[in-house]
């Protein structure tokens, strides 16, 4: 049987066919395609903060992108630009912490990397233009930024990425303090782009969106770890 990989999902108003602005559990299909292409079986996880029993049937977990984390999770007041989804925060923080306790392989993408960071006791910058003085990490609505990333020699992400270090990003928040995680990648402006936890068999967070290119290097590594 293929390794079963859970993917956290959004709840957003969606329109299709005769239905308009219907609250919908969804995730970009690129995540599913990336898992499938890498040899896994994707299972979508709607927000559910009642328990973490679903982890018993999962071999790996993808914490997907989406809205900002609630700043109260890291002891901050919300900034004007911060847009949160409390239902996702509550459910995914439970899942992330339980997955780490079980040593389940985890890949965090964009928001997912930030969630891993906060679960590890870290904190975030709520609006990067105020910190970095530019909008290159989120250049326009629906437009991915592209830049080169630098990775720590010998790190898992450096091994996976090889010589192709160009990444696609879309975010306005980023890591301030990584907590107990190790920063293993940075953007050209110094912003953390990858974090790892060497204490676990596979815990990797990336600030960019590897699902957009269905990057088999990262999703394949997750599936391989889940199969082990």
């Amino acid at each position: 049987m293929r390794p079963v990989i859970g993917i956290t999902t959004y709840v957003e108003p969606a329109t299709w066919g005769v239905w308009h602005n219907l609250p919908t559990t969804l995730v970009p299909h690129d995540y599913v395609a990336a898992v499938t292409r890498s040899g896994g079986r994707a299972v979508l996880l709607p927000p559910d903060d009642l328990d973490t029993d679903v982890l018993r049937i999962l071999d790996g977990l993808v914490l997907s992108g989406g809205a900002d984390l609630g700043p109260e999770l890291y002891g901050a007041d919300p900034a004007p630009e911060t847009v949160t989804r409390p239902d996702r925060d509550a459910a995914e923080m439970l899942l992330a912490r339980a997955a780490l306790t079980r040593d389940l392989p985890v890949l965090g993408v964009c928001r997912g990397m930030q969630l891993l960071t906060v679960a590890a006791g870290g904190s975030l910058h709520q609006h990067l233009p105020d910190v970095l003085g530019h909008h290159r990490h989120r250049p326009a609505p629906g437009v991915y930024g592209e830049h080169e990333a630098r990775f720590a020699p010998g790190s898992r992400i450096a091994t996976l990425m090889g010589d192709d270090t160009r990444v696609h990003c879309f975010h306005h928040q980023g890591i301030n303090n990584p907590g107990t995680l190790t920063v293993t990648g940075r953007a050209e402006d110094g912003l953390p782009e990858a974090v790892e936890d060497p204490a676990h068999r596979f815990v990797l967070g990336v600030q960019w969106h590897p699902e957009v290119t269905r990057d088999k290097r990262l999703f394949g590594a997750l599936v391989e770890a889940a199969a082990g």
Side-chain angles (χ1 to χ4, degrees):
M1 183 175 176
R2 286 177 285 165
V4 179
I5 308 297
I7 305 172
T8 60
T9 59
Y10 307 42
V11 176
E12 300 288 347
T15 298
W16 71 95
V18 299
W19 309 108
H20 297 273
N21 293 323
L22 189 69
T24 304
T25 299
L26 52 81
V27 72
H29 183 66
D30 284 337
Y31 285 98
V32 175
V35 167
T36 304
R37 180 172 181 257
S38 298
R41 161 65 77 175
V43 174
L44 303 188
L45 305 176
D48 181 340
D49 65 354
L50 296 182
D51 57 53
T52 60
D53 288 354
V54 69
L55 295 180
R56 297 176 186 173
I57 62 170
L58 297 182
D59 301 305
L61 177 65
V62 175
L63 299 169
S64 67
D68 303 327
L69 288 177
E72 69 278 1
L73 293 172
Y74 49 94
D77 294 325
E81 301 84 359
T82 298
V83 178
T84 64
R85 295 292 184 275
D87 58 335
R88 286 195 66 182
D89 290 350
E92 292 175 18
M93 193 60 73
L94 277 179
L95 279 181
R97 288 175 169 152
L100 293 173
T101 298
R102 291 171 177 263
D103 202 20
L104 194 73
V106 179
L107 173 63
V109 174
C110 197
R111 166 193 161 91
M113 168 179 160
Q114 296 169 6
L115 186 120
L116 282 174
T117 298
V118 173
S123 63
L124 307 177
H125 295 298
Q126 289 191 56
H127 193 53
L128 292 176
D130 294 341
V131 178
L132 302 175
H134 64 76
H135 293 264
R136 291 195 292 274
H137 293 279
R138 190 177 68 173
V143 176
Y144 287 98
E146 292 188 30
H147 59 83
E148 297 288 339
R150 303 189 306 272
F151 302 115
S155 64
R156 182 189 296 274
I157 190 63
T159 301
L160 292 175
M161 295 296 287
D163 295 330
D164 181 5
T165 59
R166 193 153 190 83
V167 299
H168 296 77
C169 60
F170 187 81
H171 60 101
H172 80 113
Q173 298 198 335
I175 290 179
N176 177 19
N177 175 358
T180 59
L181 299 179
T182 300
V183 175
T184 54
R186 293 186 183 273
E188 296 160 327
D189 55 21
L191 186 74
E193 283 287 332
V195 292
E196 303 179 27
D197 188 344
H200 291 80
R201 58 190 174 115
F202 189 97
V203 173
L204 174 65
V206 296
Q207 188 60 82
W208 67 92
H209 283 272
E211 81 283 359
V212 173
T213 57
R214 302 182 184 182
D215 194 333
K216 198 172 181 179
R217 295 171 296 180
L218 274 61
F219 285 91
L222 171 69
V223 171
E224 182 180 358

